[in-house]
Amino acid sequence: MRVLVIGSGAREHALLLALRRDPEVEELAVAPGNAGTAIIADQYDVDITSGEAVTGLAQKIGADVVVIGPEVPLVLGVADMVRAAGIACFGPTKDAARIEGSKSFAKDVMTAAGVLTATSEIVDNPAHLDAALDRFGPSVDDPAWVVKDDGLAAGKGVVVTADRDAARAHAASLLDAGHPVLLESFLDGPEVSLFCIVDGETVVPLLPAQDFKRVGDGDTGPNTGGMGAYAPLRWLPEEVVSQIVDDVVKPVAAEMVRRGSSFSGLLYAGLAITSRGPSVVEFNCRFGDPETQSVLALLDTPLGQLLRAAATGQLAEAPPLRWRDGDAVTVVLAAENYPGRPRVGDAIVGAEADGVLHAGTARRDDGAIVSSGGRVLSVVGTGQDLAAARDAAYTLIKSIRLPGSHFRADIGLAAAEGKISL
């Protein structure tokens, strides 16, 4: 089969590498891609937010399946236009993508499905902000304000703080920009990312993973798009994963079908394993980055065949998933000043090694690979256990040179030391 992957990040690089291992995948294409994906797939420069442009490219190259990586094209309805042209597409419709595009919509779905999540309130008028803040925030059960952009924010629209002034300032800035604000209660317990391939009411879970959103070691500093991840979660009992699937993902998938917004693609459940049980932090409508890099490094099932089955309504007939033994750790190398405005254009040494996945990279006219974004590379290490995978990832990332770059040194450390428990 010919597969076209849409996107330009390390997630898409990971998807392409996994697709290349599938014996039924004969040709790979990516749009727009990056300096790393250009080595393994035909690369095309198109506007991925345009349904017409993506569909036209898929038709031009004779794609059998289109896999849409980022959330923005999905929320804008690109998958709808691809399907309307008779091409199989892995990714939800515009209507179903609201599960990520609107947090208030997601909350409504979860309430109807009876899914445990944080209590919340939407604020769309600055005059109501202070009274709403008074209903949330520091207490014995709720040690911080959780302030979110109700729309897409690339993982960086969230502030969790015990400082009322900081919470108010973030909320006010969102309202000033015309964005409704979602206030939530704080959820205790370790966080889990569970990816599920979904086709209507058929749900196939992948390995659970854990990501790290804060920029600094020890979960310090501002939120980012993600600074690293590891999989699987040895501290999470299999029965809890089954509970998440049965009590969270399946009811939400069924509720989407009931509403006429049937979900087809990757449904990402971000959860906190609280004292009351798994509670949803957020839903995403696509593979998450950087968790994808770790999860797919361990997948033994042919990915192309799995995604095609979901895209063509045949997921229920797909065989059980197979996984490689061991663990995987992903560490993100970020540009200077990220998550602020990143420094770009610097040459990178060591970017073409095995295990290095590209995100914010480009190839200069002289052939050098240079930085072009905030999260520049994802470095993936695998090993027989989490400690070995960490050693592999950090040995590799320390061999890469990029002026001013930074990375977290503690990805998966607490779990490797046995410090995470329920």
Side-chain angles (χ1 to χ4, degrees):
M1 75 181 96
R2 297 180 181 91
V3 183
L4 169 61
V5 174
I6 300 299
S8 61
R11 163 185 51 215
E12 287 74 34
H13 198 165
L15 284 164
L16 289 165
L17 289 172
L19 287 165
R20 191 172 63 167
R21 298 196 299 265
D22 187 330
E24 290 195 11
V25 175
E26 298 170 324
E27 295 182 29
L28 285 171
V30 61
N34 56 50
T37 60
I39 298 171
I40 59 175
D42 296 328
Q43 199 142 293
Y44 299 88
D45 186 14
V46 301
D47 178 3
I48 65 171
T49 66
S50 166
E52 293 89 347
V54 171
T55 301
L57 175 60
Q59 292 171 325
K60 174 184 174 182
I61 66 174
D64 298 301
V65 181
V66 175
V67 178
I68 300 179
E71 62 274 21
V72 173
L74 294 168
V75 170
L76 293 176
V78 171
D80 303 63
M81 294 199 67
V82 173
R83 286 194 184 92
I87 302 169
C89 185
F90 184 82
T93 63
K94 178 180 181 178
D95 194 37
R98 288 186 296 160
I99 197 79
E100 177 171 2
S102 170
K103 294 179 178 63
S104 54
F105 173 79
K107 288 287 186 182
D108 187 56
V109 169
M110 284 185 274
T111 298
V115 169
L116 184 63
T117 185
T119 58
S120 64
E121 181 176 338
I122 291 286
V123 180
D124 57 11
N125 187 329
H128 301 156
L129 177 57
D130 286 307
L133 286 169
D134 289 342
R135 290 189 283 272
F136 290 83
S139 67
V140 173
D141 298 320
D142 204 0
W145 280 278
V146 180
V147 184
K148 297 182 176 181
D149 189 330
D150 184 48
L152 296 178
K156 293 179 281 187
V158 181
V159 165
V160 181
T161 179
D163 183 337
R164 181 190 172 94
D165 290 340
R168 192 184 191 287
H170 182 60
S173 69
L174 294 174
L175 290 169
D176 288 345
H179 296 198
V181 171
L182 182 74
L183 298 180
E184 284 188 339
S185 59
F186 181 82
L187 296 175
D188 65 322
E191 292 196 8
V192 170
S193 299
L194 185 65
F195 297 171
C196 293
I197 309 291
V198 174
D199 172 20
E201 295 194 41
T202 302
V203 175
V204 177
L206 306 187
L207 289 178
Q210 186 175 67
D211 76 330
F212 296 74
K213 287 294 187 189
R214 301 275 189 161
V215 70
D217 288 355
D219 291 328
T220 57
N223 273 345
T224 70
M227 293 299 293
Y230 68 96
L233 307 184
R234 305 291 181 185
W235 50 267
L236 186 69
E238 288 187 11
E239 56 265 29
V240 177
V241 177
S242 297
Q243 181 185 4
I244 294 169
V245 172
D246 292 340
D247 296 349
V248 175
V249 184
K250 286 184 176 180
V252 164
E255 174 62 19
M256 296 287 280
V257 170
R258 189 191 69 78
R259 291 172 178 236
S261 303
S262 182
F263 194 98
S264 175
L266 193 291
L267 187 58
Y268 167 136
L271 311 108
I273 310 302
T274 72
S275 54
R276 297 173 58 202
S279 185
V280 175
V281 176
E282 64 177 353
F283 278 108
N284 291 335
C285 64
R286 38 71 194 184
F287 280 100
D289 184 337
E291 299 100 317
T292 298
Q293 291 88 294
S294 291
V295 171
L296 292 187
L298 300 172
L299 181 67
D300 198 38
T301 291
L303 181 63
Q305 297 170 51
L306 177 64
L307 301 189
R308 181 175 59 184
T312 57
Q314 299 174 16
L315 184 61
E317 287 81 56
L321 300 187
R322 303 190 308 271
W323 298 95
R324 300 175 179 182
D325 293 334
D327 296 63
V329 171
T330 298
V331 183
V332 170
L333 184 74
E336 182 177 349
N337 200 43
Y338 179 79
R341 184 174 182 177
R343 170 176 164 173
V344 298
D346 291 307
I348 309 167
V349 176
E352 297 180 276
D354 289 342
V356 178
L357 279 59
H358 290 229
T361 66
R363 193 173 291 276
R364 209 163 54 192
D365 290 343
D366 64 1
I369 295 175
V370 299
S371 59
S372 63
R375 290 190 296 172
V376 181
L377 302 170
S378 283
V379 176
V380 182
T382 57
Q384 63 182 2
D385 55 27
L386 185 54
R390 275 179 43 82
D391 287 345
Y394 281 107
T395 297
L396 182 53
I397 202 168
K398 289 173 183 176
S399 71
I400 299 170
R401 297 290 177 264
L402 173 63
S405 62
H406 59 98
F407 58 87
R408 282 186 59 160
D410 63 346
I411 304 301
L413 179 60
E417 294 178 343
K419 294 181 180 178
I420 300 182
S421 60
L422 300 185

